[in-house]
Amino acid sequence: MKNLWNDGDAERLVADYAKKGVARDLALRVYTTRLLGGEPRLVLHGGGNTSCKTKATDLVGDEWDVLCVKGSGWDMGVIEPQGLPAVKLGALLKARALASLADEDMVALQRANLMDPASPNPSVETLLHAFLPHKFVDHTHSTAILAIVDQADSKPLIKTVFGDKMGYVPYIKPGFDLAKVAADVYDADPSVEGLILDKHGIFTFGDDPKQAYDRMIHYVNVAEDYVAKNGKPKTAKAALPAKLATPAAIAPMLRGAVAVARGEGRFDRMISDFRTSDAIVDFINSAGIADYAGRGVSTPDLSIRIKTGPMAVPAPDADKIGDYKAVIKSHVDAFANDYRAYFETNDALDDVQRTMLDPMPRLTLVPGLGMFGHGRTLKDAKIASDVGEMWIEAVRGAEAVGSFHPLSKADLFPLEYWSLEQAKLASNKPKPLTGQVVLITGGAGAIGAATAKLFAANGAHAVVVDLDAARAAEAAKAAGNNSIGVGADITNPAELRAAFDKAVAVYGGVDILVSNAGAAWEGGIGELDDALLRKSFELNFFAHQSAAQNAVRIMLEQGTGGVLLFNTSKQAVNPGPKFGAYGVPKAATLFLSRQYALDYGAHGIRSNAVNADRIRSGLLTDAMIASRSGARGVSEKEYMSGNLLGQEVTAEDVAQAFLHQALAERTTADVTTVDGGNIAAALR
Ligand SMILES: [Zn+2]
């Protein structure tokens, strides 16, 4: 691992922060924290922490010795000074004399001594940083270090690899007890340059930030070199089918299997992020992969991301893909049952009240293909994949020098079910569509874009499909929540299929279709050119049918139901003069919606339609509004609000109707009217 310290960069950052009133110590603390945090082989997504001991002045001018330590929720790679809250050191040091300190009391002590009460919670490892006398302390979960410490008999190996310059700390759950033992280990030999924490990671320290950082990189290199020189790569590979199924073919099955059934057709769905590389596949193809996966996580804080460890499934045979759904299901069931047993066994050991987290895997290893990270959001799914890559590195190293033997699951349990994490559960309410994927055709138009925005605001990831790829990307960006835009001519079945494939590739599947794209052509029905009517049918009927077919194909593979929503327009029930070319296929689409409701209700797939009217959009442009209102001798405002409520109906109102239909769990074969009231078009 390369040492990235650069005097010029460090001094530039110090100078930049000096202008903002940040002192040199803290600026340098930020500098090396980012160096460490930018390397996934050292820390990942909020893991690891750093500190520095310095002085700070409070609002009444008193100067205090403080510990600036990483705050919870901050990522080291992008840390800012406010991510290293200052805690009065005196109170922290006094705590060392206590015989015990409950986690909640430790947090209370830390918060009570913050210089700025608005700061985030200081790290759970704050006391360990405080009890060490050095000005700068660095802590990482380096994969190379984990390869050495995740062994059955790690203590002698740690001595062999690191010698006397590193202290050995046995595994203890992070918190007060670990801080005390680590400090005792240091006091027993103050000549050490750092501490190796069994089954957990490494601390290094120094009088200045460079010394602490240099030592971190040095000892990580010592571990890497040891693995490189003494490691014997395991070569036994599992036999793979002659023809492997594709990731896209199995993603919806897997996504469906890991969805949490809430009963009565309700599911908490997850997003699946597929990740692969030669290194990933080479390791996952190992004959022992299921065994390794079952042994657990490489360092305890990964349990927040991938629970008790990954799930390995057999390689998917393209010729037996029909049986694979059952294979996946049996593996997910086994994982979930093991997880429940793990919870029940460990929960029964004391009388603390705990809520079991869902028992589903967050990382699936698929020989021949790669791995899927699962999470309630795309971000969480990607984090699970990132964690998976580092888990693979650590296990590969551990297996090369011995046998991967991480922290036991009994020891992992108190960490995964740390009382403060449990307290967060209550405040972490998901949004109504969290974990769901909506594909919207005509997604860059007024109604499509408003729908993408509203669904994304309600937790869904939107796949915005539009003829214009650039505008689709813009609408996706405006919708937010990691939504994506896809350019496609949806009257071309191959392009429409590719849009659904993209949804599967990025999110693992589709749960909601908003089949919205349409275009209007005019002309008396008796004189219409056949070609024009057929063209209208292509977009206003067949594209709806193709989109629904694609959606249903994926929904059936997932097995978690779904919703089809069609924009059928008022024309479907109430023809407008010279508007037959538009209204006739829309009427067919309304019937189509009911046919899907009938044919797929038993699979939990609902189908509804919205018939909107007179919405300012690409179909009813400002120029058309001006011309039509002029022809009728009314103002534009009167024309647009010519309904029972006397109010203009907007694209956002239509989006609300789609959202209502998506959320109304017992509503199917419904038509929702969004026209401000038009008795002639009212449904009977
Ligand atoms: Zn740690």
Side-chain angles (χ1 to χ4, degrees):
M1 179 167 291
K2 231 179 124 199
N3 187 316
L4 300 175
W5 177 280
N6 177 296
D7 284 335
D9 290 349
E11 290 307 324
R12 259 189 300 282
L13 198 72
V14 168
D16 283 352
Y17 275 122
K19 289 179 211 146
K20 296 174 190 160
V22 175
R24 182 180 179 84
D25 281 349
L26 188 53
L28 288 171
R29 181 66 286 177
V30 167
Y31 174 63
T32 55
T33 302
R34 286 185 190 164
L35 290 186
L36 296 168
E39 173 50 76
R41 286 177 177 78
L42 292 176
V43 293
L44 273 178
H45 301 295
N49 40 62
T50 59
S51 68
C52 89
K53 297 178 184 73
T54 183
K55 288 186 186 298
T57 306
D58 66 17
L59 292 171
V60 293
D62 288 345
E63 192 182 61
W64 297 84
D65 285 324
V66 295
L67 177 78
C68 292
V69 63
K70 201 201 82 162
S72 110
W74 278 84
D75 186 325
M76 285 171 61
V78 292
I79 202 140
E80 293 289 344
Q82 61 268 36
L84 290 151
V87 195
K88 291 171 189 165
L89 190 56
L92 299 180
L93 292 177
K94 269 192 182 171
R96 196 174 165 189
L98 299 173
S100 68
L101 184 64
D103 289 338
E104 291 79 1
D105 292 337
M106 179 182 77
V107 171
L109 175 75
Q110 291 170 186
R111 282 213 71 82
N113 285 283
L114 283 167
M115 292 294 283
D116 175 356
S119 298
N121 274 343
S123 159
V124 60
E125 278 151 345
T126 293
L127 291 177
L128 205 168
H129 285 263
F131 295 170
L132 294 168
H134 304 80
K135 192 170 170 68
F136 288 85
V137 177
D138 296 2
H139 169 48
T140 75
H141 303 143
S142 149
T143 54
I145 301 290
L146 294 174
I148 307 295
V149 303
D150 283 345
Q151 299 289 337
D153 194 13
S154 47
K155 193 174 177 182
L157 182 63
I158 289 168
K159 279 286 158 219
T160 305
V161 177
F162 301 105
D164 294 333
K165 285 290 186 189
M166 294 295 277
Y168 169 85
V169 181
Y171 180 79
I172 297 169
K173 180 173 89 82
F176 176 73
D177 295 343
L178 172 61
K180 273 187 68 154
V181 170
D184 290 347
V185 169
Y186 172 77
D187 286 350
D189 181 4
S191 74
V192 296
E193 297 177 348
L195 302 171
I196 299 289
L197 274 58
D198 201 6
K199 313 283 190 254
H200 176 162
I202 173 173
F203 275 78
T204 56
F205 27 74
D207 300 328
D208 61 70
K210 184 168 186 302
Q211 187 180 41
Y213 174 77
D214 285 348
R215 286 174 171 173
M216 178 63 71
I217 302 302
H218 170 71
Y219 286 106
V220 167
N221 279 323
V222 166
E224 281 182 359
D225 291 349
Y226 184 86
V227 174
K229 289 198 188 97
N230 300 280
K232 292 169 219 51
K234 299 249 165 38
T235 48
K237 298 287 179 209
L240 294 178
K243 192 165 170 242
L244 285 163
T246 62
I250 68 164
M253 301 175 189
L254 183 55
R255 179 164 181 261
V258 300
V260 182
R262 292 292 179 209
E264 308 197 322
R266 297 181 174 95
F267 297 90
D268 286 347
R269 297 168 175 92
M270 284 196 261
I271 303 301
S272 292
D273 170 61
F274 180 67
R275 178 104 32 117
T276 191
S277 70
D278 290 346
I280 291 170
V281 173
D282 181 69
F283 183 75
I284 293 177
N285 288 355
S286 307
I289 192 63
D291 173 25
Y292 303 152
R295 292 186 209 170
V297 293
S298 47
T299 183
D301 85 333
L302 298 192
S303 66
I304 299 161
R305 307 297 187 181
I306 60 168
K307 309 183 78 73
T308 52
M311 170 181 77
V313 296
D317 188 334
D319 295 328
K320 293 181 192 153
I321 193 69
D323 305 332
Y324 198 63
K325 196 169 166 179
V327 171
I328 287 184
K329 186 163 181 334
S330 72
H331 280 77
V332 171
D333 286 350
F335 184 96
N337 286 338
D338 284 353
Y339 188 85
R340 283 188 199 97
Y342 151 83
F343 178 83
E344 280 157 20
T345 309
N346 291 292
D347 184 50
L349 298 179
D350 57 30
D351 35 65
V352 175
Q353 288 288 316
R354 298 180 183 89
T355 307
M356 194 186 86
L357 303 166
D358 78 70
M360 292 303 174
R362 291 299 190 275
L363 184 69
T364 300
L365 312 177
V366 190
L369 298 186
M371 60 190 186
F372 288 88
H374 312 292
R376 293 280 276 147
T377 63
L378 181 65
K379 186 178 168 222
D380 285 349
K382 283 181 181 292
I383 288 176
S385 300
D386 290 345
V387 163
E389 287 199 66
M390 290 307 117
W391 177 86
I392 285 175
E393 283 229 4
V395 181
R396 184 194 289 121
E399 282 291 308
V401 295
S403 174
F404 176 57
H405 190 96
L407 185 68
S408 74
K409 289 181 184 170
D411 280 331
L412 194 64
F413 183 78
L415 227 117
E416 192 184 359
Y417 284 88
W418 200 45
S419 58
L420 298 157
E421 289 294 328
Q422 287 268 295
K424 276 190 210 160
L425 287 180
S427 59
N428 260 348
K429 280 265 174 284
K431 292 177 177 175
L433 295 177
T434 292
Q436 302 208 41
V437 181
V438 58
L439 186 143
I440 304 166
T441 67
I447 292 172
T451 303
K453 209 174 203 168
L454 186 62
F455 276 58
N458 280 274
H461 295 300
V463 180
V464 177
V465 181
D466 202 274
L467 194 53
D468 185 331
R471 289 186 60 217
E474 254 172 57
K477 197 169 168 225
N481 198 26
N482 286 313
S483 297
I484 56 163
V486 180
D489 173 359
I490 62 164
T491 61
N492 175 331
E495 288 190 28
L496 186 59
R497 166 75 193 224
F500 278 88
D501 286 351
K502 183 77 181 171
V504 170
V506 175
Y507 305 111
V510 172
D511 308 290
I512 306 165
L513 166 68
V514 178
S515 193
N516 165 67
W521 288 276
E522 291 180 273
I525 194 74
E527 305 109 50
L528 263 191
D529 183 0
D530 256 12
L532 182 76
L533 187 59
R534 286 178 198 281
K535 186 177 169 187
S536 181
F537 259 92
E538 284 299 336
L539 181 61
N540 291 317
F541 174 75
F542 282 106
H544 288 285
Q545 158 64 354
S546 304
Q549 273 191 331
N550 273 292
V552 163
R553 168 177 55 79
I554 294 168
M555 288 169 185
L556 291 177
E557 280 168 4
Q558 292 170 163
T560 50
V563 198
L564 310 174
L565 304 174
F566 299 89
N567 186 345
T568 58
S569 143
K570 162 250 183 193
Q571 299 300 323
V573 292
N574 176 238
K578 314 265 184 211
F579 234 35
Y582 182 56
V584 175
K586 283 290 193 180
T589 298
L590 177 62
F591 199 90
L592 182 77
S593 168
R594 293 178 170 174
Q595 194 67 50
Y596 272 100
L598 177 65
D599 289 353
Y600 294 97
H603 297 277
I605 298 171
R606 298 182 291 117
S607 178
N608 295 308
V610 166
N611 61 344
D613 191 26
R614 214 165 284 187
I615 313 295
R616 207 179 284 271
S617 69
L619 267 177
L620 183 58
T621 61
D622 290 348
M624 287 160 77
I625 293 166
S627 122
R628 288 194 192 174
S629 57
R632 296 186 188 195
V634 296
S635 71
E636 284 183 37
K637 188 174 183 320
E638 282 167 329
Y639 174 74
M640 290 306 287
S641 52
N643 54 45
L644 298 178
L645 296 175
Q647 303 285 349
E648 178 172 344
V649 183
T650 66
E652 285 72 25
D653 294 318
V654 184
Q656 282 291 350
F658 280 131
L659 179 66
H660 151 74
Q661 290 184 333
L663 296 176
E665 289 174 332
R666 295 295 180 264
T667 297
T668 190
D670 175 55
V671 181
T672 296
T673 300
V674 190
D675 59 6
N678 175 352
I679 282 298
L683 285 150
R684 46 189 299 180

